[in-house]
Amino acid sequence: MDKLNLGKLTTESRNQDTLDIDKISTIEMVKKINNEDKKVALAVEKEIPHIAKAIDEIVERMQRGGRLIYIGAGTSGRLGILDASECPPTYGVSEELVQGIIAGGQEAIFRAKEGAEDSKELAVIDLKEKSLKENDTVVGLAASGRTPYVIGGLEYANEIGALTVSLTCNNDSDVSKVASIKIAPVVGAEAITGSTRLKSGTAQKLVLNTLSTGVMIKLGKVYGNLMVDVKSSNEKLVERAKKIVADATGVSISKATLVLDETGFDVKLAIFMILSNLKKEEAKAKLQESRGYIAKALKI
């Protein structure tokens, strides 16, 4: 790994379309940044087969008790933590199921600790603290694809027998060479040279959104396109829960509220009880039999 020759990395190359970005009007500056952002979704689109493969393999391991663990440094690490932290309230999963680890620990979430990314050993220590197991998945996040911390984490995960996935924004990167599944949306040179919190960060966010959402759909956390395991932890979410039940079943809000009260505001159970005309305990048993997948439970 050549630490000095950053010029070989697409993420570090100079963007010829933004050489004058410091001299033009504000509206033109914003247009140039926006034009670069338009390239991101197209780059992610090229990686759809790899993203889909990762989703299927992550779900297979989760059904055997595995977890999804993101590991990264700087912006990449923060994006992993963001994605992980949003899974419990959105899909009702435990905080253990999807986790994010950042080089430098919790302080690095709020304050840059750039030196932490240079240690492979720190990643091993961090993953050992999580008691990494064979059924787990480790997704290594590194826009540049050369972060030693991420490489060290993926190498250790390989030793354990866990699934390893790389998410980078450079082709044929060092990080991708140690991962079983490689996801690499190449977004091109940043509007500001080397500022990978821009297009590269956006690309990683899009991929992480798709990964975790796809996994949750496959785990039965969605019915139609409704979040049926959402936790009603505040007033807005209580009202959303009522609307989800009403939308999924066609009943009135008042009827949805009555059934939700009976289930302790278990949205999925309330929907299934209404659709199946079953009492609570029998409905609960059938949902457990189908691994919480409403569409499958309705066919049992």
Side-chain angles (χ1 to χ4, degrees), residues 133-290:
K133 301 287 193 303
E134 186 177 357
N135 285 329
D136 294 330
T137 299
V138 176
V139 178
L141 310 170
S144 69
R146 55 168 294 281
T147 309
Y149 178 84
V150 176
I151 293 170
L154 291 175
E155 288 175 342
Y156 175 69
N158 282 333
E159 289 175 19
I160 297 296
L163 174 66
T164 50
V165 180
S166 62
L167 175 50
T168 74
C169 293
N170 282 304
N171 272 324
D172 197 31
S173 68
D174 293 308
V175 166
S176 68
K177 289 172 184 173
V178 294
S180 300
I181 300 175
K182 305 157 183 56
I183 302 171
V186 180
V187 295
E190 298 287 2
I192 306 301
T193 307
S195 182
T196 51
R197 73 187 189 91
L198 299 176
K199 287 190 297 184
S200 296
T202 302
Q204 289 179 96
K205 181 69 168 74
L206 288 179
V207 172
L208 292 174
N209 280 350
T210 307
L211 268 182
S212 57
T213 301
V215 165
M216 295 302 156
I217 292 169
K218 292 284 188 177
L219 289 176
K221 303 294 181 181
V222 172
Y223 178 64
N225 59 358
L226 299 170
M227 299 181 291
V228 293
D229 272 322
V230 65
K231 292 301 180 190
S232 306
S233 53
N234 60 36
E235 188 176 341
K236 179 189 77 174
L237 294 177
V238 166
E239 294 307 310
R240 180 181 288 168
K242 295 175 185 177
K243 187 174 186 304
I244 288 171
V245 173
D247 287 347
T249 62
V251 302
S252 65
I253 292 291
S254 59
K255 171 65 173 176
T257 304
L258 283 173
V259 182
L260 280 167
D261 285 338
E262 185 182 348
T263 65
F265 262 75
D266 184 324
V267 174
K268 179 184 285 181
L269 182 56
I271 290 170
F272 186 60
M273 283 174 62
I274 294 168
L275 292 178
S276 65
N277 289 313
L278 295 173
K279 298 294 185 184
K280 184 169 73 171
E281 292 309 316
E282 190 179 352
K284 190 182 291 186
K286 283 193 178 293
L287 276 176
Q288 288 174 346
E289 189 180 339
S290 70

Side-chain angles (χ1 to χ4, degrees), residues 56-77:
D56 285 338
E57 295 204 19
I58 291 166
V59 170
E60 184 183 321
R61 283 162 175 77
M62 279 189 172
Q63 289 174 337
R64 300 198 301 263
R67 302 165 296 171
L68 172 57
I69 299 173
Y70 300 129
I71 187 166
T75 298
S76 298

Side-chain angles (χ1 to χ4, degrees), residues 69-124:
I69 299 173
Y70 300 129
I71 187 166
T75 298
S76 298
R78 294 181 194 103
L79 287 168
I81 288 169
L82 174 63
D83 195 76
S85 67
E86 291 175 342
C87 288
T90 309
Y91 296 110
V93 297
S94 76
E95 293 180 1
E96 297 294 312
L97 188 67
V98 185
Q99 302 181 41
I101 302 173
I102 186 170
Q106 188 169 356
E107 186 184 346
I109 300 172
F110 307 99
R111 186 177 294 110
K113 295 183 70 174
E114 304 296 351
E117 72 177 54
D118 293 331
S119 172
K120 285 186 175 184
E121 292 73 27
L122 279 178
V124 175

Side-chain angles (χ1 to χ4, degrees), residues 22-39:
D22 62 327
K23 302 177 182 68
I24 54 181
S25 70
T26 304
I27 192 77
E28 289 302 317
M29 174 189 72
V30 174
K31 282 181 179 179
K32 282 184 181 278
I33 294 172
N34 181 244
N35 282 337
E36 294 304 313
D37 287 340
K38 289 174 184 176
K39 302 172 184 177

